[in-house]
Amino acid sequence: VKAFRPIGRASAGHRCYARWRMPHRAPGSPGQPTRNYLSGKPIKYYRPQGSDAIRQLVDDGFQAFNAGRLSEACHIFTDKMLDPANETTIGLTVAGALTPAGLGGCVIELLDRGLVDFIISTGANLYHDLHYALNFTLHRGSPFLDDVELYEQGIIRIYDVLFPATVLLETDAYIRDFLVRSEMSGPVSTSELHYRLGLDLLDRHPGCEEHSVVARAALAGVPIYTSSPGDSSIGMNLAYHELMNGGTLMVDPNRDVNEVCAIVLAGKQNGCIILGGGSPKNFYLQGQPTLWEVYGIPKGGNDYFIQITTDQVVWGGLSGATPAEAVSWGKVNPGVLPDTVVAYCDSTIAFPLFCEYAVGSQHNRRERKQLVNRRDELVADLLVQARQSRETLKEAPMTAQPPEFDRHR
């Protein structure tokens, strides 16, 4: 069995992490494959420039069906959500393999311009974002390949994105080394974990903020949450740290729930951009029900709702649930449905167009809220209001009978 050879750039502050043998599969190191599957162009983070041509296409060419809905989404975002008079706190949720596909550059541009205040993402998107921060190359490929042959040659495939298995090994090792040198311990929110990870990247890989969402978010003071932290390679390596190193660092989902609720509560108006759906979508939208249902705080629902998804409402899943359905849960204010839209599009097509439109708009830059530095303050205010609400509810007489409910046993 051959040991893995290092890949990527060797530079000051960067060492080879691929130092283990993998007897159960081929390394995917240079010279191994009989076919050069990794000859495709590198996938790079595309940064939108605010193209006038794309803005004209959206305004004049996207007139009906889902093109019309995407045009509507662009206008809701740029004309209303970004209008300084509305003081909207904007959350971005990210599901699906978008960073491997190169969409991290769009997110970085929004972060740099203050157009997104906090992010809720799958852990996988953040993990794959680290490949770019560490200067590992993902390649354009084809979805129509022999996966058995790819496996034997140590090549990973995400639909038509290809990269060597060593990318995973070196990224894993970086995370494990970070967990040791950070000396983090006890319960933390995912926002704190990602913030510290971003700071570490900035320290050890200067300039990586131009190529990494995690690093750019730390620089911009934007908190990043993961609704299912164990469901990714970051969580897997955190589990390794506990088992093998005796680490006490634990992700506390309660802190995540309360921090997101506190951010929503503090917003004068609230709006979201939802890419895909899944767990990040619900984790964002449950903020308002948590406030009214659990804490008794009548905040009201979202004022703006934009979703880009390929899922449909007819299957009954959360990803395809519409803003109208969200009204019944208190997730969206009933009077603002004209300011909600679902564009049934592939995010890898629609989101870059959406970002191009936003970057070229009048309100294409905002003062950053730096919410990562205000989390404790906002949670403290949530606690004060929740306690006040509890006391008010104890003293207030019930003036209306709640709807009856049935029991089936």
Side-chain angles (χ1 to χ4, degrees), residues 35-57:
R35 289 183 56 187
N36 191 2
Y37 287 113
L38 302 178
S39 62
K41 291 183 179 180
I43 294 176
K44 300 180 180 180
Y45 272 3
Y46 171 79
R47 298 284 289 272
Q49 304 293 316
S51 165
D52 289 336
I54 289 180
R55 286 180 56 82
Q56 183 180 7
L57 173 65

Side-chain angles (χ1 to χ4, degrees), residues 94-107:
V94 184
L98 300 187
T99 57
L103 266 68
C106 292
V107 179

Side-chain angles (χ1 to χ4, degrees), residues 43-45 99-102 128-136 138 161 208 211-212:
I43 294 176
K44 300 180 180 180
Y45 272 3
T99 57
H128 291 302
D129 174 77
L130 299 182
H131 307 332
Y132 295 89
L134 299 174
N135 197 32
F136 301 143
L138 282 60
V161 177
C208 71
H211 311 284
S212 167

Side-chain angles (χ1 to χ4, degrees), residues 171-248:
T171 304
D172 289 348
Y174 169 79
I175 295 170
R176 291 196 292 271
D177 287 352
F178 155 73
L179 292 172
V180 171
R181 65 175 169 266
S182 72
E183 299 182 346
M184 297 176 70
S185 61
V188 299
S189 63
T190 58
S191 66
E192 182 65 17
L193 175 63
H194 299 142
Y195 178 56
R196 295 283 295 276
L197 181 59
L199 293 179
D200 187 80
L201 289 170
L202 292 170
D203 178 59
R204 299 177 71 84
H205 300 274
C208 71
E209 68 272 13
E210 299 299 327
H211 311 284
S212 167
V213 172
V214 174
R216 174 64 72 172
L219 186 65
V222 174
I224 302 179
Y225 297 91
T226 296
S227 47
S228 301
D231 187 21
S232 77
S233 293
I234 294 178
M236 290 153 54
N237 284 292
L238 187 58
Y240 174 98
H241 181 59
E242 177 185 325
L243 183 66
M244 303 299 289
N245 299 333
T248 61

Side-chain angles (χ1 to χ4, degrees), residues 239-259:
Y240 174 98
H241 181 59
E242 177 185 325
L243 183 66
M244 303 299 289
N245 299 333
T248 61
L249 176 63
M250 298 285 292
V251 170
D252 184 355
N254 295 337
R255 297 191 182 207
D256 282 7
V257 170
N258 285 327
E259 285 185 16

Side-chain angles (χ1 to χ4, degrees), residues 52-385:
D52 289 336
I54 289 180
R55 286 180 56 82
Q56 183 180 7
L57 173 65
V58 171
D59 285 338
D60 300 337
F62 288 5
Q63 303 177 74
F65 306 127
N66 283 299
R69 302 294 72 70
L70 181 57
S71 176
E72 187 178 348
C74 290
H75 282 280
I76 291 173
F77 186 55
T78 59
D79 298 345
K80 298 182 179 181
M81 294 171 68
L82 296 182
D83 187 339
N86 293 330
E87 299 181 32
T88 306
T89 297
I90 299 173
L92 171 68
T93 79
V94 184
L98 300 187
T99 57
L103 266 68
C106 292
V107 179
I108 290 172
E109 192 66 34
L110 296 184
L111 294 175
D112 182 51
R113 293 173 173 271
L115 306 186
V116 167
D117 298 309
F118 67 105
I119 295 173
I120 302 173
S121 171
T122 60
N125 271 304
L126 304 179
Y127 173 74
H128 291 302
D129 174 77
L130 299 182
H131 307 332
Y132 295 89
L134 299 174
N135 197 32
F136 301 143
T137 302
L138 282 60
H139 294 268
R140 302 185 195 185
S142 168
F144 309 111
L145 300 176
D146 184 339
D147 286 288
V148 174
E149 188 172 329
L150 291 177
Y151 175 82
E152 291 172 347
Q153 296 181 12
I155 297 175
I156 305 296
R157 181 173 74 89
I158 305 175
Y159 190 60
D160 58 354
V161 177
L162 303 174
F163 55 93
T166 44
V167 169
L168 302 180
L169 293 178
E170 293 212 11
T171 304
D172 289 348
Y174 169 79
I175 295 170
R176 291 196 292 271
D177 287 352
F178 155 73
L179 292 172
V180 171
R181 65 175 169 266
S182 72
E183 299 182 346
M184 297 176 70
S185 61
V188 299
S189 63
T190 58
S191 66
E192 182 65 17
L193 175 63
H194 299 142
Y195 178 56
R196 295 283 295 276
L197 181 59
L199 293 179
D200 187 80
L201 289 170
L202 292 170
D203 178 59
R204 299 177 71 84
H205 300 274
C208 71
E209 68 272 13
E210 299 299 327
H211 311 284
S212 167
V213 172
V214 174
R216 174 64 72 172
L219 186 65
V222 174
I224 302 179
Y225 297 91
T226 296
S227 47
S228 301
D231 187 21
S232 77
S233 293
I234 294 178
M236 290 153 54
N237 284 292
L238 187 58
Y240 174 98
H241 181 59
E242 177 185 325
L243 183 66
M244 303 299 289
N245 299 333
T248 61
L249 176 63
M250 298 285 292
V251 170
D252 184 355
N254 295 337
R255 297 191 182 207
D256 282 7
V257 170
N258 285 327
E259 285 185 16
V260 171
C261 285
I263 290 171
V264 170
L265 179 61
K268 179 180 177 182
Q269 290 193 330
N270 292 283
C272 55
I273 307 164
I274 298 169
L275 304 181
S279 179
K281 174 185 177 180
N282 185 73
F283 200 75
Y284 171 83
L285 290 175
Q286 74 176 12
Q288 283 88 349
T290 304
L291 289 172
W292 74 259
E293 176 187 344
V294 178
Y295 287 125
I297 301 174
K299 167 65 177 177
N302 272 279
D303 301 283
Y304 308 101
F305 178 111
I306 295 170
Q307 183 176 8
I308 300 171
T309 186
T310 56
D311 208 343
Q312 299 181 27
V313 66
V314 295
W315 308 121
L318 185 278
S319 295
T322 64
E325 179 182 331
V327 168
S328 69
W329 289 85
K331 298 176 179 179
V332 172
N333 285 330
V336 303
L337 283 178
D339 294 330
T340 68
V341 64
V342 179
Y344 293 98
C345 307
D346 181 337
S347 292
T348 62
I349 300 171
F351 189 54
L353 296 173
F354 177 87
C355 292
E356 283 283 358
Y357 195 92
V359 170
S361 70
Q362 176 185 0
H363 306 303
N364 63 0
R365 193 173 291 276
R366 301 191 306 169
E367 183 179 354
R368 299 186 187 122
K369 289 183 169 60
Q370 296 281 340
L371 293 177
V372 79
N373 300 318
R374 299 184 56 206
R375 290 170 295 164
D376 291 343
E377 164 203 341
L378 297 179
V379 171
D381 184 62
L382 169 64
L383 177 60
V384 169
Q385 294 197 44

